[in-house]
Amino acid sequence: MSRSYFHLHLVSDSTGETLINVGRAAAAQYEGVSAIEHVYPLVRSRAQLERVISEIEAAPGLVLYTLVAHDLVDRLEAACRETGSPCLSVLQPVHALLQSYLGAQTTARPGAQHMLNAEYFKRIDAMNFTLAHDDGNLPDNLEEADVVLIGVSRTSKTPTSIYLANRGLKTTNIPLVPGMPLPPALEQVKRPLVVGLIASPERIVQIRQNRLLSLKADDSSLYVDRDAVAGEVATSRRLCAKHRWPTIDVTRRSIEETAAAILDLYREHRLRFIAS
């Protein structure tokens, strides 16, 4: 199938993360079509907007925006009409619904969701904790974690931990290495949610081979032997079953999907922990 391309302009008065996620989620529904993204964050003045408009004029396409200043919105929409570029405010329908439900007017505050509040500093604290407890470091502090991830090598423990930390969860991850004992504290933890990350042996071997190739290392060891890897995965499953720790198969999951499943498990875990 031949692939077609279109220009997608994402104009934000904040970081642009909302627009990027919305744009990519929508574009992913169309096979054979790819967006050429033009991202313009922190557009808060007329001069900044005029530079954005000049780029839209040079490469017309779809325009999504999250501007809240009315004068900037009016100027952008007028420019889009002149260039024949369809434009849409991603937040306006949500604002309209909230306004109707709450009976209150909005206050234009660009980037209000990124204020340095308690939630922000909670995420910073979680990130610092997670980085310090990566790959089995500081195992005696497991009880201080919100989530403990375990799994054999190459099951995305570290990137998943960092993603969860960005959501405010103190996360530590412990590798399951053949012949290496587990930290004694792991089997005694009460407060954290312990989750096992598993994947198919074929997928793990593939990732490990690519890893060794990038390091220009020998690939003849048990590290990439299919039967040995299958044994590691089986041991991981038995360990989690023994302790009734939930498992998540990450073979075909993105980090975001894995993290979403863990967050769902964590909510249930906290409710049970509080009730006990």
Side-chain angles (χ1 to χ4, degrees):
M1 179 186 295
S2 61
R3 182 165 291 276
S4 60
Y5 298 85
F6 69 97
H7 292 281
L8 178 61
H9 299 272
L10 306 172
V11 189
S12 174
D13 52 21
S14 187
T15 63
E17 293 176 15
T18 299
L19 281 174
I20 292 171
N21 290 333
V22 170
R24 290 179 180 175
Q29 308 305 311
Y30 298 88
E31 292 187 17
V33 179
S34 292
I36 301 173
E37 293 180 355
H38 306 263
V39 184
Y40 315 100
L42 302 174
V43 178
R44 298 181 180 178
S45 71
R46 186 63 175 261
Q48 292 171 322
L49 181 60
E50 291 302 328
R51 287 194 289 271
V52 171
I53 289 172
S54 66
E55 294 203 29
I56 295 174
E57 291 173 342
L62 292 177
V63 179
L64 300 179
Y65 67 87
T66 54
L67 303 177
V68 296
H70 296 300
D71 59 327
L72 298 184
V73 170
D74 292 342
R75 174 68 183 111
L76 177 61
E77 292 186 344
C80 287
R81 286 193 296 270
E82 293 172 4
T83 61
S85 298
C87 67
L88 175 70
S89 168
V90 170
L91 294 181
Q92 196 281 327
V94 181
H95 282 318
L97 183 62
L98 283 171
Q99 184 175 325
S100 173
Y101 183 76
L102 299 175
Q105 295 294 321
T106 62
T107 301
R109 294 187 299 164
Q113 72 271 33
H114 299 295
M115 292 177 62
L116 303 186
N117 54 19
E119 186 65 25
Y120 173 83
F121 290 106
K122 177 185 176 183
R123 288 193 290 121
I124 294 297
D125 189 36
M127 187 65 73
N128 288 333
F129 179 93
T130 299
L131 292 174
H133 292 77
D134 183 41
D135 202 27
N137 286 320
L138 303 176
D140 293 335
N141 294 346
L142 293 183
E143 199 65 37
E144 297 178 22
D146 297 311
V147 175
V148 177
L149 301 181
I150 64 172
V152 304
S153 173
R154 303 296 111 184
T155 48
S156 302
K157 296 184 297 299
T158 293
T160 303
S161 296
I162 293 174
Y163 189 97
L164 289 171
N166 196 45
R167 297 294 297 272
L169 295 185
K170 294 181 179 179
T171 308
T172 185
N173 69 83
I174 298 174
L176 301 180
V177 182
M180 293 288 290
L182 291 172
L186 177 61
E187 300 186 62
Q188 307 298 325
V189 292
K190 297 281 191 294
R191 179 179 176 275
L193 166 70
V194 182
V195 179
L197 301 185
I198 60 174
S200 70
E202 294 77 14
R203 179 58 175 162
I204 294 175
V205 168
Q206 179 187 39
I207 297 173
R208 289 183 179 183
Q209 287 175 333
N210 290 337
R211 171 70 171 167
L212 293 178
L213 184 63
S214 68
L215 297 175
K216 297 181 180 179
D218 178 33
D219 65 352
S220 61
S221 67
L222 293 177
Y223 184 67
V224 291
D225 179 81
R226 199 274 178 200
D227 291 337
V229 172
E232 289 183 49
V233 174
T235 300
S236 175
R237 288 182 181 275
R238 287 195 295 270
L239 175 67
C240 292
K242 173 185 175 182
H243 295 282
R244 296 184 178 180
W245 294 331
T247 61
I248 297 176
D249 191 331
V250 302
T251 304
R252 294 181 178 83
R253 287 180 186 259
S254 66
I255 291 169
E256 294 84 356
E257 290 172 320
T258 301
I262 293 171
L263 287 167
D264 193 40
L265 290 170
Y266 179 73
R267 282 188 287 268
E268 296 178 5
H269 174 77
R270 290 301 297 162
L271 289 174
R272 289 196 300 269
F273 181 79
I274 293 171
S276 62

